[in-house]
Amino acid sequence: GSGPIKPCPADVPNMGFEAGVDIRFVLDNYDDRPNQTAFVQEQPEMHNRAWLEWTRCLLPNATYAPLAYVRIKDNDFRHVKDGYHAIAEQCWRNFIHAFGKSHMLPPTGTKPAHAYYGGALFAASRVQLRRSPRVAYLRADNLTAGGDGRCHSGELDWASLFAKPAHHEHTAMRDT
């Protein structure tokens, strides 16, 4: 970039957990990025005590690197507490759609499988972050800090979910 990166403003609401703040940071700095940015949540040492040392090991051409040890592979969203896994699946689908990647979703009625690194600790390059257009980050921001914090409003799109309403009556009526 041509100038210093602006810090994330303190008034960005932490909605969507770390995602809302991270997405807003990318939006605010979309056109002026350093070669690499480390995204670090509060108390990162809970996930990796050596996260800062790991950043010093990044190759200059690295496009993405987790800064946490554990990769979690999940065959559905049942790890989500309190029976909210239908909502979690809907939000997951909404974010994929926001980034224009709906073609990557499993066919309707198929059990979703996903893998991720816990802890919201990662480094991403300017090239990697700009693979998605700014409008995609704007859509994602509207699902988190740029909206009211709900990644989905109204009834869930049960036809697109693996989760079925018969098992989730208590979540079906909630405004997510």
Side-chain angles (χ1 to χ4, degrees), residues 75-76 78 89 93 108-112 158-164 168:
N75 291 326
D76 61 23
R78 296 190 189 279
E89 181 184 350
R93 290 175 180 278
T108 299
T110 303
K111 184 186 238 185
W158 292 107
S160 73
L161 301 179
F162 176 73
K164 302 299 173 224
H168 306 283

Side-chain angles (χ1 to χ4, degrees), residues 6-173:
K6 300 172 277 190
C8 198
D11 62 349
V12 174
N14 189 9
M15 295 178 177
F17 300 97
E18 292 81 12
V21 176
D22 290 350
I23 289 166
R24 181 63 59 82
F25 181 81
V26 172
L27 274 172
D28 289 350
N29 296 283
Y30 189 81
D31 293 320
D32 191 21
R33 308 237 20 100
N35 184 43
Q36 294 169 323
T37 302
F39 292 85
V40 182
Q41 72 167 44
E42 184 179 20
Q43 299 178 334
E45 59 282 348
M46 290 175 43
H47 300 282
N48 181 357
R49 291 177 196 260
W51 71 271
L52 186 57
E53 289 80 15
W54 284 24
T55 63
R56 294 181 187 123
C57 296
L58 289 171
L59 295 174
N61 62 346
T63 57
Y64 172 82
L67 299 176
Y69 290 108
V70 179
R71 184 169 186 252
I72 302 166
K73 185 174 185 298
D74 225 332
N75 291 326
D76 61 23
F77 291 89
R78 296 190 189 279
H79 70 281
V80 178
K81 67 180 179 176
D82 300 329
Y84 290 102
H85 53 284
I87 294 170
E89 181 184 350
Q90 181 72 68
C91 291
W92 175 73
R93 290 175 180 278
N94 291 355
F95 271 96
I96 290 171
H97 178 72
F99 281 94
K101 304 293 183 184
S102 294
H103 62 280
M104 298 175 71
L105 290 168
T108 299
T110 303
K111 184 186 238 185
H114 55 286
Y116 58 94
Y117 289 90
L121 295 168
F122 63 95
S125 71
R126 170 180 51 240
V127 170
Q128 181 69 22
L129 293 170
R130 298 217 38 204
R131 287 180 65 195
S132 294
R134 190 172 196 283
V135 68
Y137 290 101
L138 283 169
R139 287 189 297 259
D141 185 58
N142 286 330
L143 299 174
T144 57
D148 62 6
R150 292 177 285 186
C151 63
H152 187 81
S153 293
E155 184 74 17
L156 301 181
D157 180 10
W158 292 107
S160 73
L161 301 179
F162 176 73
K164 302 299 173 224
H167 298 94
H168 306 283
E169 288 87 3
H170 65 287
T171 61
M173 299 308 293

